[in-house]
C-alpha cells in the first residue's frame, strides 16, 4: 500500500516496517530517519494489531522492563525469542499481528524491527537512536548562510535543448573556441564550464556546458540542479522537438528561471518568413505552457544566430537582467567554508586525479581541504579558464582542481573542512554507515530470497498440474527477469555516470540490464576477470587506444568500443532482446485434403492411411503438420508424419495436385475424410523490449 507521508499523523512514535528499511516518524519534531523517502511502502496494520495496540496501552501502566542485553544490529526471530525468554511461536504471532508477512523462525530482523518488538514487550529502550546515514553524514559540517555576510555572485547558466539545435555553437561563440569541430558524432559529451564577461554591463556569467543528447539526461539534470537560469534553445527551423519537451518538463520540475533563445535565425533571410517562423515557435512555446512575455508572462524570448553573432549580446544582457531580478547572493567572507559541486572528474597523466568544480559558497584557495563522497582533496593547483594557474576560485567560478586522493563523482556536493584529519575522520564515518546500510540491504535480500524460496517450493508442488508454458511463466515470476550483465569503462566519470544511468533501467519483466561495475579508464585485468566470472560484456566509451590484449583477451570476454552514446544504447538493447525467450509463429506452407480412409494389414496389425490430395504447396516427410476439422478448424492433431506413400511406394514429398497416402506419428489415426492437413514452418518472431 502506498501512502504519502503527511497522512501519517500520530501522537506517538510510529514505526513503519517497509520493504527496504524501517521508517521511524516522530511527529513532535517532524523528523524522519530516512530522509530520502517521500512515499513510503508499508505493511498495513492488521485488525489484530489494533487489538495489540490496546494491549500496549494497558501495558503503559506497568513499569517498563529493563533490557538485559545490548540491542544487536540483526537477529533471527528464534534467537530473539531466546533472548526474550519467549516461545518462538508467540514472537512469530506477535510479529504477524504487527503487520509482518511471510516470516519464519529464520527471518532476520534489523535493529529497528527488534526495537519495535521490544517496545511491544514493554522493554525500556535506549533514549536516542541515531538518524545519521551515509547521505547526510556531512551535513553537520555545513554552516547555515549568514544573511549579514551575503553578497552577489554571478548567475550560473545551463543551456538545454534538442539535439543539433545549436547549444554547442552558442557555447562556442561565447567561448570563442571551436568545440564543435572536435566532437565525436557532433554531440557534446562532457560537461565543461566557463565564465564570460558581458559586452555591455561587463558582468560575469558562468555557463555550464551540459550535453544535449537524451542519453545524458541525468548529467543534464545535475547541471540544472546546480544552476540558477536555464537557456532553452529552440531552432527556428524545427521549433519544439521531443527533447525540447523533455527539457521543458525538467525545467518545470527544477523550478529554475528560464530564458528561451530561438536559434539559427540567419538561416531564414526573408524578414516576413522569419517573422512567421518566430511567431510559430512562440506559439508552440505557449502551447507547452511557457509563459512568454508576449502573453504577459516573464519568460524572455530572444531570437539569435550563434553563427554570425546576431543578438548574442542581447541574450547575455537578458541573463544579467534576470539574475539581477533574482538577487542571486551567497556568503563569501574570509571565514566562509567553501561549498560547491563536482561537474567533471578525470585522471590526467601529468596531474593525477583532477576535477572541475563549481564554487557555490566561499572562496576556494590552494591548500584548502575539500571533502566529497568517499574522497577528499588538499587543493594542489587551481586552473581557471584557458588552463591558467590561479590561486583562488570565487563563488560561481568553475575551475579545475588537482590533488584528489580518488576521483570524486560528477554531481556530488563538496564541502571544505579544516584539516585532512577531519576529512579522513568523516570519510571513515561515512564508510562505516555505508557498510551498515549494505548489510541492511543484504539482510533484506536474504529475507526476500528466503521468501522466494518458500514460494518456489510451493510452486514446485503445483508443478505437475501446470503445462510447460505456465511453468516457465511462473519461473520468471518467482525468479525475476534474466539479468544480462555489463561492465562500463569510459574516459571520464561524467560519461561513466551518464551511461550507467542510461542503460541500467533498460529491460522488461523478462530481461534486465545489470551494470556489474563501472569506472574510468581502460579495462584492467580485474575488469576482465570480473567480466569472465559474471558473464558480462565490457562496454568501452571514448577509449580510443584499447590495447590488443584487452580486445582479444584470453578470457574471451566481449569488449565493445563506442564513441557515440546512442550506438552504445542500441547495442545494449539488441543484446537484451537477444536474451529474450525465443518465440515462433506458424507459417502455413501447404494444405492437404484428406479424401478417403484406407485400411490395410501389416504384420497382423490394421493400419489406417489417409488418402490425400495436396491442395497447394508441398508436403514432405519431415513436415510439421496440424490436422484440423470442420469450419472452426479445430486442431485434432499436431505433430509429424510417419510416411508419405504413392501407391505402395514410400515417397519423400508430394506437391500441389498430387494424390498420396499419409500416416502420422504418435499412432494418430483418428482422422476422417473431410479433415485438412495444414503444413507449417515455425518462423521466429523478432522480440523487442
Ligand atoms: N546557420 C546556423 N547554423 C547553426 C547555428 N547554430 C548552430 N548551427 C549549426 O547546427 C548544427 C548543430 O549545432 P550544435 O551547436 O552542434 O548543436 P547542439 O545542440 O550542441 O547539438 P548536440 O551537441 O548534438 O546536442 C551545426 O552544424 C552548427 O553549425 C546558427 O545560429 N546558425
Amino acid at each position: 500500500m502506498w501512502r504519502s507521508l503527511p497522512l501519517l499523523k500520530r501522537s506517538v512514535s510510529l514505526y513503519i516496517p517497509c520493504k527496504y528499511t524501517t521508517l521511524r516518524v516522530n511527529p513532535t519534531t517532524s523528523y524522519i530517519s530516512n530522509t530520502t523517502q517521500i512515499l513510503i511502502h508499508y505493511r498495513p496494520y492488521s485488525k489484530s494489531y489494533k487489538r495489540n495496540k490496546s494491549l500496549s496501552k494497558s501495558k503503559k501502566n506497568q513499569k517498563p522492563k529493563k533490557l538485559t542485553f545490548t540491542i544487536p544490529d540483526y537477529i533471527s526471530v528464534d534467537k530473539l525469542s531466546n533472548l526474550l525468554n519467549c516461545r518462538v511461536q508467540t514472537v512469530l504471532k506477535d510479529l504477524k499481528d504487527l503487520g509482518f508477512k511471510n516470516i519464519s523462525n529464520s527471518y532476520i530482523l534489523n535493529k529497528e524491527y527488534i526495537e519495535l518488538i521490544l517496545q511491544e514487550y514493554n522493554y525500556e529502550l535506549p533514549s536516542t537512536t541515531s538518524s545519521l546515514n551515509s547521505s547526510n553524514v556531512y551535513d553537520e559540517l555545513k554552516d547555515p548562510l549568514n544573511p549579514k555576510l551575503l553578497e552577489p555572485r554571478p548567475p550560473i547558466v545551463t543551456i538545454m535543448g534538442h539535439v543539433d539545435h545549436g547549444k554547442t555553437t552558442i557555447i562556442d561563440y561565447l567561448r570563442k573556441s571551436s568545440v564543435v569541430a572536435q566532437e565525436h558524432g557532433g554531440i557534446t559529451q562532457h560537461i565543461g564550464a566557463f565564465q564570460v564577461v558581458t559586452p555591455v554591463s561587463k558582468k560575469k556569467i558562468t555557463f555550464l556546458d551540459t550535453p544535449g543528447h537524451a542519453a545524458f539526461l541525468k548529467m543534464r539534470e545535475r547541471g540544472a540542479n546546480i544552476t540558477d537560469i536555464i537557456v532553452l534553445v529552440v531552432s527556428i527551423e524545427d521549433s519544439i522537438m521531443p527533447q525540447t519537451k523533455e527539457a521543458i518538463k525538467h525545467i518545470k520540475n527544477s523550478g529554475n528561471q528560464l530564458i528561451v533563445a530561438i536559434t539559427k535565425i540567419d538561416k531564414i533571410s526573408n524578414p516576413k518568413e522569419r517573422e512567421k517562423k518566430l511567431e510559430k515557435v512562440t506559439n508552440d512555446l505557449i502551447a507547452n505552457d511557457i509563459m512568454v512575455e508576449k502573453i504577459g508572462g516573464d519568460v524572455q524570448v530572444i531570437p539569435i544566430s550563434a553563427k554570425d553573432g546576431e543578438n548574442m549580446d542581447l541574450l547575455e544582457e537578458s541573463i544579467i537582467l534576470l539574475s539581477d531580478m533574482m538577487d542571486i547572493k551567497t556568503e563569501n567572507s574570509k571565514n566562509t567554508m567553501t561549498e560547491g559541486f563536482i561537474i567533471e572528474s578525470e585522471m590526467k597523466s601529468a596531474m593525477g586525479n583532477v576535477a572541475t568544480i563549481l564554487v557555490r559558497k566561499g572562496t576556494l584557495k590552494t591548500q584548502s581541504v575539500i571533502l566529497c563522497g568517499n574522497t577528499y582533496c588538499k587543493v594542489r593547483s587551481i586552473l581557471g579558464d584557458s588552463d591558467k594557474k590561479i590561486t583562488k576560485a570565487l563563488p560561481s567560478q568553475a575551475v579545475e582542481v588537482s590533488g584528489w586522493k580518488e576521483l570524486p563523482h560528477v554531481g556530488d556536493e563538496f564541502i571544505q573542512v579544516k584539516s585532512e584529519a577531519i576529512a579522513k575522520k568523516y570519510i571513515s564515518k561515512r564508510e562505516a554507515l555505508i557498510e551498515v546500510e549494505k548489510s541492511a540491504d543484504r539482510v533484506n535480500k536474504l529475507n526476500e530470497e528466503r521468501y522466494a524460496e518458500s514460494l518456489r517450493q510451493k510452486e514446485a508442488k503445483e508443478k505437475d498440474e501446470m503445462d510447460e508454458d505456465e511453468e516457465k511463466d511462473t519461473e520468471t515470476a518467482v525468479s525475476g527477469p534474466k539479468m544480462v550483465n555489463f561492465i562500463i569503462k569510459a574516459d571520464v566519470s561524467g560519461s561513466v555516470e551518464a551511461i550507467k544511468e542510461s542503460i541500467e533501467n533498460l529491460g522488461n519483466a523478462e530481461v534486465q540490464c545489470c551494470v556489474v561495475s563501472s569506472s574510468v579508464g581502460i579495462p584492467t585485468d580485474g575488469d576482465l576477470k570480473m567480466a569472465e566470472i559474471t558473464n558480462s560484456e565490457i562496454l568501452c566509451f571514448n577509449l580510443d587506444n584499447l590495447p590488443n590484449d584487452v580486445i582479444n583477451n584470453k578470457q574471451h570476454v566481449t569488449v565493445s568500443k563506442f564513441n557515440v552514446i546512442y550506438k552504445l544504447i542500441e547495442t545494449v538493447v539488441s543484446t537484451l532482446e537477444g536474451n529474450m525467450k525465443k518465440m515462433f509463429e506458424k507459417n502455413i506452407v501447404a494444405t492437404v485434403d484428406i479424401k478417403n480412409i484406407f485400411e490395410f494389414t501389416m504384420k497382423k496389425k490394421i493400419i489406417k492411411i489417409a488418402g490425400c490430395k495436396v491442395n497447394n504447396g508441398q508436403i514432405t516427410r519431415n513436415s510439421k503438420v496440424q490436422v484440423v476439422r470442420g469450419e472452426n478448424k479445430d486442431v485434432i492433431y499436431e505433430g509429424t508424419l510417419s510416411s508419405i506413400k504413392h501407391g505402395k511406394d514410400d515417397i519423400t514429398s508430394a506437391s500441389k495436385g498430387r494424390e498420396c497416402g499419409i500416416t502420422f506419428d504418435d499412432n494418430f489415426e483418428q482422422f476422417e475424410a473431410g479433415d485438412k492437413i495444414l503444413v507449417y514452418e515455425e518462423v521466429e518472431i523478432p522480440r523487442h523490449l
Side-chain angles (χ1 to χ4, degrees):
M1 184 189 291
W2 288 92
R3 282 279 168 86
S4 63
L5 199 55
L7 292 178
L8 297 165
K9 283 185 187 152
R10 288 169 57 87
S11 59
V12 290
S13 287
L14 173 67
Y15 290 82
I16 305 153
C18 51
K19 200 171 171 200
Y20 297 109
T21 183
T22 300
L23 296 181
R24 173 182 296 184
V25 183
N26 180 347
T28 50
T29 56
S30 306
Y31 170 75
I32 308 163
S33 68
N34 185 339
T35 51
T36 57
Q37 306 282 321
I38 298 165
L39 288 173
I40 50 176
H41 182 203
Y42 72 97
R43 299 171 207 273
Y45 297 117
S46 61
K47 279 184 190 150
S48 44
Y49 175 57
K50 284 185 188 135
R51 249 194 348 261
N52 227 12
K53 274 197 312 179
S54 48
L55 256 180
S56 308
K57 248 185 209 167
S58 65
K59 278 184 206 162
K60 264 188 187 151
N61 300 330
Q62 299 169 11
K63 213 173 154 226
K65 289 182 256 180
K66 277 244 170 327
L67 258 189
T68 52
F69 56 89
T70 314
I71 302 174
D73 284 341
Y74 302 101
I75 196 166
S76 64
V77 175
D78 52 0
K79 290 227 169 78
L80 179 67
S81 55
N82 271 345
L83 281 177
L84 297 177
N85 225 354
C86 284
R87 284 181 60 230
V88 66
Q89 296 311 332
T90 314
V91 179
L92 275 175
K93 187 186 165 298
D94 288 341
L95 282 168
K96 278 181 188 157
D97 287 347
L98 284 169
F100 285 83
K101 281 182 189 152
N102 314 312
I103 53 165
S104 61
N105 301 12
S106 56
Y107 188 94
I108 299 167
L109 298 160
N110 66 23
K111 196 168 187 166
E112 283 165 296
Y113 290 168
I114 304 168
E115 287 177 355
L116 171 61
I117 194 99
L118 289 176
Q119 208 178 38
E120 284 302 304
Y121 281 63
N122 203 25
Y123 278 93
E124 197 173 34
L125 294 185
S127 53
T128 53
T129 356
S130 171
S131 59
L132 223 51
N133 62 48
S134 61
S135 45
N136 69 13
V137 60
Y138 297 158
D139 285 359
E140 64 192 44
L141 292 165
K142 287 184 192 165
D143 293 324
L145 284 175
N146 180 347
K148 286 189 196 134
L149 300 176
L150 292 184
E151 51 184 79
R153 64 165 174 81
I156 299 166
V157 179
T158 301
I159 299 182
M160 284 189 169
H162 190 75
V163 175
D164 275 354
H165 275 196
K167 296 172 292 295
T168 309
T169 313
I170 293 176
I171 295 279
D172 194 29
Y173 179 91
L174 294 165
R175 257 186 165 148
K176 299 271 188 288
S177 68
S178 182
V179 180
V180 180
Q182 297 162 20
E183 289 174 3
H184 285 293
I187 294 172
T188 318
Q189 285 170 345
H190 299 160
I191 277 191
F194 63 100
Q195 250 179 4
V196 298
V197 176
T198 56
V200 183
S201 54
K202 305 286 175 214
K203 288 189 173 170
K204 282 180 182 165
I205 306 174
T206 301
F207 282 96
L208 285 188
D209 178 3
T210 47
H213 196 277
F216 284 96
L217 180 69
K218 206 68 205 173
M219 254 179 164
R220 218 162 53 183
E221 276 177 5
R222 285 181 173 160
N225 287 340
I226 53 180
T227 248
D228 302 304
I229 295 169
I230 294 173
V231 173
L232 178 69
V233 173
V234 187
S235 148
I236 191 168
E237 292 179 310
D238 302 339
S239 189
I240 303 229
M241 298 294 279
Q243 280 166 31
T244 326
K245 286 191 179 163
E246 209 180 89
I248 291 173
K249 205 165 93 193
H250 174 74
I251 293 163
K252 282 182 187 156
N253 288 340
S254 70
N256 284 117
Q257 294 291 328
L258 171 69
I259 291 179
V260 178
I262 303 180
T263 51
K264 307 194 186 184
I265 56 167
D266 60 293
K267 284 201 162 183
I268 298 165
S269 46
N270 180 323
K272 268 197 181 151
E273 203 188 327
R274 186 189 277 191
E275 207 46 52
K276 223 167 99 190
K277 290 253 184 192
L278 286 174
E279 178 89 11
K280 181 182 178 323
V281 180
T282 312
N283 289 340
D284 287 350
L285 287 166
I286 297 166
N288 279 277
D289 295 332
I290 303 287
M291 303 306 283
V292 298
E293 284 176 329
K294 183 183 163 188
I295 54 162
D298 55 4
V299 177
Q300 305 174 70
V301 179
I302 323 284
I304 59 157
S305 164
K307 199 107 192 171
D308 60 22
E310 188 178 348
N311 285 349
M312 285 298 286
D313 51 349
L314 188 60
L315 177 64
E316 290 174 60
E317 295 305 335
S318 304
I319 293 170
I320 292 298
L321 187 73
L322 179 58
S323 74
D324 285 347
M325 273 157 51
M326 288 164 66
D327 200 19
I328 298 170
K329 284 185 171 160
T330 191
E331 190 187 311
N332 188 24
S333 76
K334 208 168 74 204
N335 300 322
T336 306
M337 298 295 265
T338 318
E339 285 173 32
F341 294 94
I342 309 295
I343 51 177
E344 187 52 88
S345 71
E346 70 180 298
M347 244 269 289
K348 285 193 173 170
S349 48
M351 298 170 72
N353 294 328
V354 298
T356 308
I357 63 156
L358 180 68
V359 179
R360 283 296 294 258
K361 183 183 168 195
T363 297
L364 181 76
K365 302 185 190 87
T366 44
Q367 298 306 309
S368 305
V369 180
I370 50 178
L371 170 64
C372 179
N374 64 345
T375 183
Y376 73 92
C377 168
K378 179 155 188 197
V379 180
R380 199 165 55 218
S381 67
I382 305 178
L383 295 186
D385 284 353
S386 337
D387 283 353
K388 225 169 69 195
K389 257 197 174 169
I390 50 181
T391 52
K392 58 182 184 182
L394 299 169
S396 296
Q397 198 172 349
V399 289
E400 192 178 271
V401 167
S402 72
W404 292 91
K405 299 291 160 198
E406 311 268 338
L407 282 182
H409 291 291
V410 172
D412 276 1
E413 209 174 349
F414 73 80
I415 176 166
Q416 186 184 351
V417 288
K418 289 210 169 83
S419 67
E420 284 186 76
I422 296 177
K424 282 183 197 159
K425 188 178 119 193
Y426 271 85
I427 288 172
S428 312
K429 210 166 162 180
R430 182 173 174 273
E431 272 166 5
L433 285 165
I434 289 174
E435 266 318 300
V436 170
E437 283 155 12
K438 272 192 193 155
S439 5
D441 279 351
R442 278 198 291 271
V443 167
N444 285 329
K445 228 175 168 174
L446 202 68
N447 281 332
E448 274 170 21
E449 275 167 18
R450 283 179 182 171
Y451 174 55
E453 183 54 35
S454 68
L455 267 189
R456 257 195 292 273
Q457 283 168 7
K458 202 172 143 207
E459 298 290 348
K461 273 192 194 160
E462 293 162 11
K463 194 176 165 197
D464 293 344
E465 293 148 36
M466 289 179 191
D467 69 42
E468 211 178 311
D469 277 355
E470 278 171 348
E471 224 174 88
K472 276 181 191 154
D473 289 348
T474 315
E475 234 171 68
T476 315
V478 173
S479 56
K482 177 177 179 185
M483 300 312 272
V484 183
N485 295 339
F486 296 93
I487 291 176
I488 300 168
K489 300 292 298 187
D491 55 340
V492 292
S493 62
S495 300
V496 172
E497 290 277 321
I499 293 166
K500 193 167 168 229
E501 298 283 354
S502 311
I503 69 167
E504 75 185 344
N505 291 323
L506 292 176
N508 55 20
E510 214 180 300
V511 283
Q512 187 64 50
C513 171
C514 171
V515 177
V516 173
S517 80
S518 54
S519 54
V520 171
I522 284 171
T524 59
D525 272 354
D527 292 322
L528 289 166
K529 274 190 198 124
M530 166 88 84
E532 189 187 15
I533 295 165
T534 56
N535 195 20
S536 304
E537 176 175 344
I538 302 186
L539 307 169
C540 296
F541 186 72
N542 268 353
L543 297 176
D544 288 333
N545 299 317
L546 283 185
N548 208 21
D549 56 347
V550 168
I551 299 166
N552 302 311
N553 56 80
K554 55 181 188 289
Q555 289 91 344
H556 306 293
V557 167
T558 310
V559 177
S560 315
K561 274 171 57 176
F562 303 91
N563 287 114
V564 178
I565 183 81
Y566 59 78
K567 288 260 180 327
L568 183 149
I569 295 172
E570 272 172 17
T571 304
V572 172
V573 167
S574 71
T575 308
L576 290 176
E577 288 171 346
N579 274 278
M580 290 172 78
K581 204 170 71 190
K582 287 201 177 359
M583 280 197 169
F584 297 92
E585 66 182 4
K586 293 187 171 74
N587 186 19
I588 307 294
V589 291
T591 55
V592 178
D593 294 330
I594 300 181
K595 300 274 191 195
N596 306 295
I597 311 295
F598 301 104
E599 287 184 355
F600 74 97
T601 312
M602 204 166 93
K603 293 181 186 163
K604 293 188 186 163
K605 211 176 141 200
I606 297 171
I607 298 198
K608 270 171 104 179
I609 296 186
C612 303
K613 185 169 180 185
V614 181
N615 204 0
N616 58 52
Q618 187 187 51
I619 186 165
T620 67
R621 180 58 194 76
N622 303 323
S623 292
K624 289 180 176 165
V625 297
Q626 280 183 334
V627 178
V628 297
R629 181 168 297 164
E631 274 184 15
N632 292 340
K633 296 204 169 113
D634 296 329
V635 179
I636 54 169
Y637 174 71
E638 179 150 358
T640 42
L641 307 181
S642 72
S643 69
I644 312 180
K645 289 182 184 296
H646 187 67
K648 287 193 170 169
D649 301 330
D650 279 318
I651 55 174
T652 52
S653 65
S655 302
K656 182 178 175 176
R658 191 154 187 201
E659 292 186 339
C660 56
I662 289 178
T663 58
F664 298 88
D665 279 336
D666 315 313
N667 298 323
F668 171 70
E669 291 190 335
Q670 289 79 39
F671 43 82
E672 292 172 3
D675 290 345
K676 275 188 191 305
I677 303 171
L678 305 179
V679 182
Y680 65 84
E681 282 172 358
E682 283 188 325
V683 185
E684 192 178 335
I685 312 168
R687 302 289 318 273
H688 297 292
L689 286 182

